[in-house]
Amino acid sequence: MSDTLVLYFDDEAATACRFAETAGLPAALIDRHRFPDGELKLRLPATLPPYVIIYRSLVHPNEKLIELLFAAQTARQLGANNLMLIAPYLAYMRQDIAFHDGEVVSQKIIGRFLAQVFDGLATVDPHLHRVATLEEAAPVKRAITLSGAPLLGDYIAQKLPNAFLLGPDSESAQWIASAAQAHGFDHAACEKIRRGDKDVQVQLPAVDLKGRQVVILDDVASSGRTLAKATRAALEAGASSVDVAVTHALFAEDALPVIRAAGVRNIWSTDSIAHDSNIVSIAPDRKSTRLNSSHEWISRMPSSA
């Protein structure tokens, strides 16, 4: 029996199994049963190897965090002594400081929780601001942070080789630079002023967008307001088209119609969160020929406990 096993849940079977296949690892389902009162019962394989990877993207995270608590503690009872969580989308990272007395700093609490139940954590484009590294947010023994920007950059290069990459705010500059590097895209980032969850103002950088095919690139799309404001600004500045590419396709509530109404032509995303806009996979199959995020994950993971 292999000394490493990937465990996954039924709603992420395709992505998790593709990752396991690329890594050359066996995979097994964590079975879930929901009682009439809403409580959950999980069932793992009866015996486990020493090294276990649990694949769980934490969109709509509240119930999934309970699942991880149950699964991780049970996995150790069944033989695992080294647990790694692969969470392509990592929730509760925004709130990294208390702005008002009594506010909960969710990043610290969730980060410590994950560090208590897992030895390692791998994620893609975590939403970090005042915290510089994933290790600071989640003090696990082994932290791996990767980006979806190069994958999106490759796709954009195929579709729009002369695209102008635009970041919707200064925080997106790192993703813009990463995606632009391999293909020599012209790029710049906007300045954003946020007054509330859905109240934002966006100021374009001092660049000429007349006649340009603009792609707005960011790590996450949630309310869609920032993307919508940046889209309108780019079109008013003369852009011939505006497309949107994001790593994490949250698109909460009315985000999609708001973005469409602003004039966005295409919306592209990675499959870190399952969505109709997914066009590139963070865990491609073995037919992929170039180094990508899933291969890098695999190369940076220990081969055994």
Side-chain angles (χ1 to χ4, degrees):
M1 181 178 69
S2 171
D3 62 358
T4 305
L5 178 68
V6 177
L7 295 178
Y8 63 91
F9 293 82
D10 56 351
D11 56 332
E12 293 182 307
T15 308
C17 289
R18 193 161 58 244
F19 168 82
E21 181 184 9
T22 304
L25 297 173
L29 176 70
I30 297 176
D31 184 66
R32 288 185 296 177
H33 173 76
R34 187 182 301 279
F35 293 105
D37 61 3
E39 291 186 2
L40 292 170
K41 179 178 72 172
L42 305 183
R43 187 174 75 242
L44 282 63
T47 58
L48 294 175
Y51 192 85
V52 169
I53 299 169
I54 297 180
Y55 191 104
R56 198 65 169 140
S57 197
L58 292 178
V59 60
H60 306 303
N62 297 346
E63 185 171 280
K64 293 178 180 177
L65 291 170
I66 295 295
E67 293 173 348
L68 291 179
L69 175 63
F70 290 172
Q73 292 199 6
T74 305
R76 293 194 189 277
Q77 295 170 10
L78 295 172
N81 56 40
N82 195 313
L83 288 175
M84 170 166 263
L85 171 64
I86 291 182
Y89 175 70
L90 187 59
Y92 286 116
M93 292 294 105
R94 288 189 184 89
Q95 189 74 5
D96 56 9
I97 191 173
F99 294 97
H100 304 284
D101 291 344
E103 277 188 347
V104 172
V105 183
S106 58
Q107 185 191 91
K108 292 183 179 179
I109 294 171
I110 295 301
R112 285 196 297 262
F113 163 74
L114 294 176
Q116 287 168 359
V117 295
F118 290 98
D119 302 292
L121 171 64
T123 190
V124 182
D125 289 334
H127 205 72
L128 306 176
H129 294 312
R130 283 158 291 269
V131 171
T133 65
L134 180 60
E135 291 91 338
E136 293 177 67
V140 292
K141 298 175 184 176
R142 181 175 178 82
I144 299 174
T145 304
L146 299 170
S147 178
L151 296 176
L152 292 168
D154 288 350
Y155 183 83
I156 294 165
Q158 295 173 15
K159 290 288 186 179
L160 303 170
N162 296 313
F164 187 101
L165 300 190
L166 183 66
D169 52 36
S170 58
E171 294 164 354
S172 64
Q174 58 181 310
W175 291 285
I176 292 291
S178 177
Q181 182 177 13
H183 303 285
F185 290 121
D186 292 334
H187 62 283
C190 300
E191 291 294 330
K192 178 178 69 174
I193 300 173
R194 180 179 291 280
R195 298 186 176 92
D197 289 344
K198 297 183 179 181
D199 183 6
V200 296
Q201 297 296 322
V202 172
Q203 181 177 347
L204 284 177
V207 294
D208 185 5
L209 296 181
K210 291 180 181 178
R212 300 300 302 266
Q213 294 176 306
V214 172
V215 179
I216 300 176
L217 181 67
D218 206 1
D219 62 330
V220 60
S222 183
S223 73
R225 267 57 182 181
T226 301
L227 293 174
K229 290 289 180 67
T231 296
R232 290 193 179 95
L235 292 172
E236 290 171 2
S240 62
S241 63
V242 176
D243 301 305
V244 164
V246 296
T247 299
H248 305 302
L250 284 176
F251 296 118
E253 299 177 341
D254 61 347
L256 281 174
V258 165
I259 294 169
R260 293 290 189 191
V264 168
R265 181 177 59 176
N266 296 304
I267 299 173
W268 302 316
S269 67
T270 77
D271 63 354
S272 66
I273 296 171
H275 191 267
D276 290 343
S277 62
N278 295 163
I279 48 84
V280 294
S281 178
I282 59 171
D285 60 30
R286 286 180 177 272
K287 296 178 182 178
S288 178
T289 58
R290 72 179 296 276
L291 183 67
N292 50 54
S293 60
S294 79
H295 291 92
E296 191 176 347
W297 261 345
I298 295 159
S299 68
R300 290 168 62 181
M301 286 181 184
S303 59
S304 65

